[in-house]
Amino acid sequence: MRFPATVVADLTNRCNLRCRYCCFFSNPAECGGSEMSTEAWLKLIAQAGACGVMRMVLRGGEALLRDDLQELILAVVKNRMRFTILTNAISMTPEIASFLASTKRCDAVKISLDGFQETHDAARGAGSHARALRGIGMVREAGLPLIVTCCLHRKNLDRFEEMGEYLLGELKLPTVTFSAVRRCEAGAEWELGAAEIGRALTSLAKLQKRYPGQLANRVLMGTLNYFRRLLKGEGVGCKFCGCDAALSVIKVQADGVCTVCFDCDDSAVVGKFGEMTLAEVWERSTALREKLEAGRSPAEFPAECGSCPFAAHCAGSCPAFFDGHPWESPTCLRRFLTVAKASDLD
């Protein structure tokens, strides 16, 4: 691929919520810098279009807080790209929803809703659940594609299946994706370990049976489907290291710092827009992308991993961010099968 299909743009460091488990504000490298001007973002969008980028993912902080958001989105459309926008929906209005729909280029509006009101508000702030529901209503009324993202953590994992019924059954949301809180600065009371993620996958498989086609194939669902492929013997030539971000994505932070990963880490920084063009950033990232694509070397794995029947398909999770025992990775199928049965994934 000569250039990534997707550019993820963190348009602003500002947010109107302070979610308890959010890693954004605990990471000075990600949220501490200045924000690029409208002019700079317009240059980046034009370069992305010229390089053949197909879509942009517009995030924050909270993307709706940018006063120039409509101007930036119109530039995305002008440069023949599509877009997805991520929001907590607190600032959503009928006018914004109508504008997004009018572009005819919006792939999805992704709104965060962590299940029941008491769980959502405990993590995101009093009244935020009701305001998110209002925003969801506006998006649906405008006829926009909607994906609701539900974060799983220690405080709501026990009610995972109930939350799924609430989101997909009671609220009748068209598409839901579940993600797991990991590497949380707020501590162990929120973040899920490999064992908890294994429990989540079992519940997810049950939920998928009841609501086929309504769970987005990302994050936890992607891991579940990967496990299924391996168990069916369909994993030949497939290595799983957590995601394919490095292979098809450039992420640009609000201050112009570029990485090849959705998570910000010094090891993934490949340049800064303004000092380099977007094309130069991508070219500079070649060595890191090759490392991430290859995964960790088998020589780095503990000896007991050699007897694993899935070793040929294991990349030991992301080599840039996970340096522990592969056994502790959420994507270790062998470990999952010590606490669950293969039939749990059917």
Side-chain angles (χ1 to χ4, degrees):
M1 181 179 293
R2 295 182 58 190
F3 207 77
T6 302
V7 169
V8 177
D10 288 350
L11 296 177
T12 179
N13 293 321
R14 292 168 290 147
C15 187
N16 44 16
L17 292 180
R18 290 295 184 274
C19 302
R20 296 281 302 281
Y21 54 74
C22 181
C23 64
F24 187 82
F25 289 101
S26 65
N27 191 340
E30 187 162 19
C31 72
S34 60
E35 294 181 9
M36 289 202 299
S37 66
T38 302
E39 181 183 12
W41 279 114
L42 291 174
K43 286 182 180 178
L44 184 145
I45 292 167
Q47 289 183 21
C51 288
V53 171
M54 299 175 65
R55 69 189 64 85
M56 294 194 67
V57 178
L58 309 177
R59 320 190 309 176
E62 172 51 50
L64 297 189
L65 295 182
R66 287 245 2 170
D67 293 335
D68 57 359
L69 180 63
Q70 293 194 14
E71 183 179 359
L72 299 183
I73 289 175
L74 289 174
V76 171
V77 172
K78 178 182 177 181
N79 283 277
R80 304 177 303 283
M81 293 180 286
R82 303 188 65 83
F83 68 94
T84 293
I85 187 164
L86 279 61
T87 176
N88 57 36
I90 297 296
S91 299
M92 183 62 69
T93 65
E95 291 75 23
I96 292 174
S98 177
F99 165 74
L100 296 176
S102 72
T103 67
K104 309 296 185 184
R105 290 267 178 163
C106 182
D107 285 335
V109 180
K110 298 185 72 172
I111 296 177
S112 301
L113 189 71
D114 294 347
F116 302 113
Q117 178 181 346
E118 58 270 26
T119 306
H120 182 100
D121 284 1
R124 295 177 178 267
S128 59
H129 184 272
R131 296 171 76 180
L133 284 181
R134 284 199 295 272
I136 287 171
M138 295 170 192
V139 167
R140 299 181 81 168
E141 181 67 24
L144 285 159
L146 170 67
I147 299 176
V148 165
T149 299
C150 180
C151 290
L152 295 175
H153 45 73
R154 286 182 180 268
K155 294 181 181 293
N156 65 8
L157 180 61
D158 289 342
R159 302 187 70 188
F160 181 10
E161 291 181 54
E162 290 180 70
M163 289 194 304
E165 292 289 349
Y166 168 67
L167 297 170
L168 293 162
E170 184 176 338
L171 296 184
K172 300 187 186 310
L173 297 172
T175 308
V176 175
T177 183
F178 292 94
S179 61
V181 173
R182 299 276 293 165
R183 300 194 310 152
C184 174
E185 293 293 330
E189 65 172 317
W190 295 96
E191 64 186 25
L192 299 183
E196 288 83 11
I197 291 177
R199 287 171 51 200
L201 293 176
T202 300
S203 295
L204 188 62
K206 295 177 182 177
L207 197 60
Q208 187 188 32
K209 285 184 179 180
R210 294 195 287 272
Y211 298 97
Q214 290 182 253
L215 298 174
N217 187 27
R218 293 193 58 80
V219 198
L220 289 179
M221 198 67 213
T223 302
L224 178 62
N225 288 332
Y226 168 70
F227 282 179
R228 286 169 169 163
R229 291 200 304 273
L230 290 187
L231 289 167
K232 292 178 180 178
E234 299 173 356
V236 178
C238 170
K239 279 199 172 186
F240 186 87
C241 65
C243 74
D244 63 352
L247 310 183
S248 59
V249 171
I250 281 182
K251 173 186 164 188
V252 185
Q253 296 171 192
D255 60 358
V257 171
C258 300
T259 76
V260 291
C261 181
F262 292 107
D263 292 319
C264 180
D265 187 276
D266 290 344
S267 63
V269 171
V270 290
K272 186 172 183 178
F273 183 75
E275 299 174 0
M276 307 168 67
T277 67
L278 208 57
E280 289 170 340
V281 167
W282 184 246
E283 180 62 29
R284 181 174 171 179
S285 71
T286 300
L288 179 58
R289 285 186 284 115
E290 289 175 350
K291 175 186 176 183
L292 294 176
E293 183 176 13
R296 297 165 71 192
S297 166
E300 300 177 66
F301 289 9
E304 61 267 31
C305 290
S307 62
C308 176
F310 311 109
H313 313 293
C314 180
S317 197
C318 177
F321 299 106
F322 184 81
D323 57 4
H325 194 308
W327 180 264
E328 293 300 323
S329 166
T331 59
C332 177
L333 176 55
R334 186 182 185 185
R335 186 189 196 284
F336 174 81
L337 293 177
T338 65
V339 296
K341 303 184 294 295
S343 59
D344 290 336
L345 303 184
D346 293 341

